[in-house]
Amino acid sequence: QIFKQLLMIGGLDRYFQIATCFRDEDLRHDRQPEFSQIDIEMSFASCEDLFPIVEKLVQSVFKESMNIEVKTPFLRMTYADCMNVYGCDKPDLRFGMQLVRLDDLAKASSFSIFHDVLNAKGIVKGLNVKGGADISRKEIDELTTYLQSLGGKGLIWFKRQEEGSFTSSIAKFLTDEQQQEWIKRLQIEPQDAAFAIAGPEKKVNQLLDHLRRKIARQRNLIPKGKYELLWVTDFPLFSFNEEEGRMESEHHPFTSPHLEDLDLFDTEPLKMRSSSYDLVLNGYEIASGSQRIHDGKLQDKIFELLGLSPEERASKFGFFIDALKYGTPPHIGTALGFDRMMMILCETESIRDVVAFPKTSKAQDLMTRAPSQVSDMQLNELKILVKKE
């Protein structure tokens, strides 16, 4: 990241590369510690310059490798809208089941759990499953158990049969008029089912996102050979790490804030939006990038808010902050995950299937047995000290 920006500062105003990378983070089915990415960095450019380049690249990949026509420009949604409608920042748009807020209807009911959640500043949210009235009680119990394994506490269900009769796990807490309001809000037509979850907003969104994807897989609602691309924009600039009690960058500390949000810096930094964006394909993030900070004072202030002392800023990033003082041009960049894109095009759910010599979930190479024990001689040579407890 820093080196790409230094190239822009140094006057090389366009940078494109296929780079091999290493990232030390938790591994999942769509992540490997070693991966390839397509790097782009551009001076004197904005999203309106960058997005068409990425879109044409992706369009060409689909056409040349799969003979599939991808329409451009891609759909755009803000982070806030994505979280509200889909419960996550990388939604799969190949099927419906959008989320619906139900706070006011929950408050009007006599269901005490709703009142407890709302009094604790939580929310109630739900989704509709078209034709889902045939979901059995056993299947609902299995979905409930699944959500409990993710930290959920319960699942509320609603059904309308073909003749229009209405049943629900909370029917006795709703008047006839209130039942009609829930039916209308969740758009529960005959033969439909709907589900709702109450709790803290972040947890409810997470659970409904998992529920939405699981039901779609179980009921074969995801069409084969369909590719939905989406730009997600305006991510939060900062998040708060509860465990460590400090601010963190949502993407990375070189991301520019929205200029119109700068007045929130000293008062409500968690409400600041960043000039960052992700490209999402069928529920997977395949690219991420941002407008970079090109002002040294602003960059230094970001580091300060993240808890870096003047000494740490000088020792770790002094060279970079100094470089920003020499007339840095506005610049923007992104990187597309090559392996993850191949995983989707090959219609597999594991990135291991498209990577030569993949690592295990513990980042180990099974063939060479790396990483292995390091000798004292190697440690001494590299000047690494291991403190034994």
Side-chain angles (χ1 to χ4, degrees):
Q1 180 64 50
I2 292 176
F3 294 119
K4 290 195 293 182
Q5 290 190 246
L6 286 172
L7 290 176
M8 301 302 105
I9 295 170
L12 186 67
D13 66 343
R14 293 290 187 274
Y15 159 86
F16 305 92
Q17 181 185 3
I18 297 178
T20 301
C21 305
F22 176 84
R23 183 172 290 167
D24 183 16
E25 61 183 9
D26 62 306
L27 301 183
R28 304 172 190 169
H29 69 96
D30 61 346
R31 281 184 184 172
Q32 279 282 293
E34 294 173 301
F35 58 95
S36 300
Q37 67 183 30
I38 304 169
D39 268 351
I40 301 174
E41 201 82 14
M42 302 165 61
S43 288
F44 299 107
S46 67
C47 290
E48 302 309 321
D49 303 299
L50 179 66
F51 283 10
I53 293 174
V54 175
E55 289 174 358
K56 287 177 183 177
L57 171 61
V58 173
Q59 188 180 48
S60 177
V61 167
F62 272 89
K63 180 62 178 176
E64 296 298 325
S65 63
M66 306 280 286
N67 197 29
I68 292 174
E69 297 286 349
V70 173
K71 293 181 180 180
T72 59
F74 299 158
L75 182 66
R76 300 185 192 184
M77 285 184 72
T78 65
Y79 169 88
D81 286 342
C82 275
M83 296 303 294
N84 185 45
V85 178
Y86 295 104
C88 72
D89 57 9
K90 44 183 182 292
D92 191 337
L93 304 183
R94 291 175 295 172
F95 56 95
M97 287 194 284
Q98 295 185 351
L99 310 186
V100 181
R101 283 291 285 265
L102 304 161
D103 298 1
D104 56 327
L105 301 185
K107 186 177 181 180
S109 74
S110 60
F111 191 39
S112 61
I113 292 177
F114 282 162
H115 298 163
D116 294 340
V117 167
L118 294 172
N119 289 336
K121 301 189 183 304
I123 67 167
V124 182
K125 214 169 183 179
L127 56 80
N128 179 299
V129 182
K130 289 296 174 188
D134 61 348
I135 298 176
S136 67
R137 287 298 300 273
K138 180 183 177 183
E139 289 173 313
I140 292 174
D141 290 341
E142 290 172 350
L143 289 173
T144 303
T145 302
Y146 168 69
L147 294 176
Q148 288 172 341
S149 71
L150 299 172
K153 294 187 176 180
L155 181 63
I156 298 149
W157 58 266
F158 310 86
K159 286 186 185 182
R160 284 185 78 188
Q161 301 303 329
E162 188 172 2
E163 71 280 4
S165 61
F166 176 81
T167 54
S168 169
S169 56
I170 61 165
K172 65 181 180 181
F173 301 103
L174 306 174
T175 65
D176 291 344
E177 183 180 345
Q178 288 172 342
Q179 289 181 14
Q180 293 305 311
E181 290 174 349
W182 283 78
I183 289 171
K184 183 178 179 180
R185 181 73 59 83
L186 286 165
Q187 298 182 354
I188 310 172
E189 298 177 341
Q191 295 188 313
D192 288 353
F195 297 97
I197 296 176
E201 184 170 4
K202 184 177 180 179
K203 194 65 182 179
V204 167
N205 280 333
Q206 179 192 44
L207 293 172
L208 285 174
D209 172 45
H210 282 287
L211 180 67
R212 178 177 177 269
R213 293 173 191 257
K214 188 172 184 68
I215 291 174
R217 290 193 297 269
Q218 287 181 340
R219 299 184 68 82
N220 296 317
L221 301 178
I222 306 174
K224 293 288 186 182
K226 187 176 182 181
Y227 300 93
E228 292 287 349
L229 288 134
L230 167 73
W231 286 109
V232 181
T233 64
D234 300 343
F235 282 81
L237 185 64
F238 300 111
S239 58
F240 189 76
N241 188 319
E242 297 285 352
E243 292 182 2
E244 299 182 15
R246 64 181 182 87
M247 301 284 280
E248 291 181 331
S249 292
E250 188 73 17
H251 269 57
H252 54 62
F254 312 104
T255 299
S256 175
H258 266 280
L259 297 182
E260 56 265 37
D261 290 351
L262 287 177
D263 59 339
L264 299 172
F265 216 118
D266 298 318
T267 55
E268 298 178 290
L270 288 173
K271 290 186 177 181
M272 295 179 72
R273 295 167 299 161
S274 67
S275 297
S276 60
Y277 41 81
D278 284 357
L279 181 58
V280 175
L281 170 59
N282 290 0
Y284 291 98
E285 172 210 316
I286 63 167
S288 186
S290 66
Q291 194 84 36
R292 317 305 194 190
I293 295 170
H294 61 276
D295 178 89
K297 291 181 180 179
L298 178 58
Q299 184 65 77
D300 197 46
K301 193 169 183 178
I302 295 281
F303 286 144
E304 182 182 3
L305 189 66
L306 294 174
L308 273 69
S309 67
E311 294 75 23
E312 287 177 311
R313 301 201 294 274
S315 64
K316 294 180 179 180
F317 300 106
F319 70 95
F320 184 66
I321 295 173
D322 286 343
L324 290 173
K325 299 174 183 177
Y326 291 91
T328 301
H331 54 289
I332 193 169
T334 192
L336 291 96
F338 180 79
D339 309 299
R340 194 174 291 175
M341 190 185 299
M342 292 305 103
M343 179 190 82
I344 298 169
L345 292 177
C346 292
E347 298 184 344
T348 176
E349 293 188 356
S350 174
I351 202 167
R352 292 166 54 87
D353 296 335
V354 297
V355 175
F357 310 109
K359 308 301 180 286
T360 68
S361 60
K362 295 182 179 179
Q364 294 177 322
D365 185 321
L366 291 177
M367 184 177 68
T368 64
R369 299 180 182 273
S372 57
Q373 286 292 113
V374 182
S375 69
D376 290 339
M377 185 177 71
Q378 288 172 307
L379 290 174
N380 291 332
E381 182 181 352
L382 298 171
K383 298 194 169 42
I384 295 175
L385 176 67
V386 178
K387 292 184 177 181
K388 296 181 180 179
E389 292 184 1

